[in-house]
Amino acid sequence: MSYLTSDQLMAKLRKEIKEISVHELARKMDNGEDVTLVDIRGLEEWDQGNIKGSVHIPRGFLELQIERHAPNRDQPIAVICAGGVRSLLGARDLEALGYTNVASVAGGFNGWKNGGYNFVVPRIMTNEQRQRYSRHTIMPEVGEEGQLKLLDSKVLIIGAGGLGSPTAIYLAAAGVGTIGIVDFDVVDTSNLQRQIIHKLEDVDKPKVESAARSIAQLNPDVKVIGHRTQLTSHNAFDIISQYDLVINGSDNFPTRYLVNDACVILGKPLVDASIFRFEGQVTVFDTAHDGPCYRCLYPDPPPPGEVPSCAEGGVFGVLPGIIGSLEAVEAIKLILGQGTTLAGRLLTYDALEAEFREMKVTKDKNCPVCSEHPTVTELIDYNQFCGIPSVEHVSTNGAVKQPALA
Amino acid sequence: MATVRIPSPLRRYTNGQSKVESSGASVNEIIESLEAQYPGVKARLCDDSGQIKRYVNVFVNDEEIRTLQGGDTPVGDKDEVSIIPAMAGGQS
Ligand SMILES: [Zn+2]
């Protein structure tokens, strides 16, 4: 019985099969010629990069799946592999099925890449990620596509305190890829009753560092950006514009109005919540989609001292766990584009009564920031706006510290 | 009698109660009768001219009274009036 070595087989096929260069392929694709480009490499090769518009059929499935992509036997087909060898075999197999206009791409995908032509690298999850997020991806509301959205998303959390702690932990666990945290403070022993992202060993250390450590232990997919500063009218645009969405867990009115105005002006959705004693409230301000803003709900700040802070009035330690988690829920829904958010609704929770209630939040058509004819179009002095003497002083480490209410 | 929801910061006027009954046909009347029952409450809700303060939100059922008729918003016996103040807490 006669036989061929593989070299002899390839030499034979080179004579029988039409080959085209990567340049010719690029020209055909640029011209929009009707050619079905079939990439027959393995999944791992495909995942590392492929030509936009190509269809992926691993060689083992070629004869079984080609008809889905090229039902007519006279459809022009170009077969590509990594280097132009396997594609000769693939082209031969297609000819055996009766395809009459088949070419093998000489040089393959590597030749294409080396020729400087564009290719795409598909976003894929690693096996570890597939396991980690399997309870998410199995649900149609998330799926692998939604999980990739979360991994690609950038969320800014104002304050790594009571609210920011559970928010950051749940967002990190959910795989929000970039979490920014603005906090100037260091961890105090009295924080540990509710600020669960910090540990005893973190006392006296900067909260942004402590939060970053906790998140790193939980999920290495998450990049944490610590902004160890006070958010001010000078830096708010710079910081907030780096993110897709903002979650407010701050402790004073000037910051709340500042974050609101900056988000409205930049068109960023804002998840807002606050807590006091046993009560919390949470809502979403999404003015880019016609929702109301913080000023629509609370047009004027209370005078200083009128509303006690948590430091003065106390706060039930579990409460921020509930309210901060609700903020995380709303943020994830906004990123996924799923469900109905709290935009236009204020959800209140009274832990003592075990009652959730919901109030309407109406967009104020005369709102100074989010209406059609705003009077506030840039950031103002929010301490002055809140009736606090605007004496910024420079603290010992050189950072400008604003007097805060809480 | 309408039910009035009292937020935490004002509960020291209502002996710690989070829900009280109050009579009145409008929000303003409800506030007056609250003040009669629990002296000191009105000053927390209204300014010197008797107007409800801008940073205090009063809802009749789930609607904020600024979007209705303000202090003149009618209140029925089965209605629930909620006082919801702006709160800043969350971080520290
Ligand atoms: Zn507004």
Side-chain angles (χ1 to χ4, degrees), chain A residues 192-206:
Chain A
L192 302 178
Q193 164 252 22
R194 65 201 175 284
Q195 300 182 14
I196 56 170
I197 206 165
H198 310 299
K199 311 281 189 304
L200 186 58
E201 69 203 36
D202 300 319
V203 168
D204 292 334
K205 307 223 171 80

Side-chain angles (χ1 to χ4, degrees), chain A residues 161-163 183 194-195 249-251 256 274-276 279 297 299-300 302-303 306 350 353 355 357 359-360, chain B residues 5 7-8 11 18 44 53-55 57 59 61-63 66 80 82 84-92:
Chain A
L163 290 171
D183 204 307
R194 65 201 175 284
Q195 300 182 14
S250 73
D251 58 4
R256 287 190 181 271
S274 55
I275 47 174
F276 180 68
E279 287 183 289
L297 178 60
D300 288 347
E306 176 91 11
D350 184 330
E353 300 298 319
E355 272 184 339
R357 293 162 69 233
M359 305 290 156
K360 281 185 198 156
Chain B
R5 300 275 188 160
S8 300
R11 286 181 197 165
S18 61
R44 298 293 302 272
K53 292 172 178 177
R54 294 256 293 167
Y55 58 87
N57 286 14
F59 292 78
N61 301 319
D62 65 348
E63 307 239 24
R66 280 192 297 267
E80 194 169 71
S82 305
I84 298 190
M87 306 192 294
Q91 183 175 359
S92 65

Side-chain angles (χ1 to χ4, degrees), chain A residues 260 264 287 291-297 362-364 366-371:
Chain A
N260 177 71
V264 172
T287 54
C293 79
Y294 189 72
R295 287 189 191 237
C296 296
L297 178 60
T362 313
K363 194 172 175 85
D364 177 358
N366 299 313
C367 176
V369 267
C370 81
S371 62

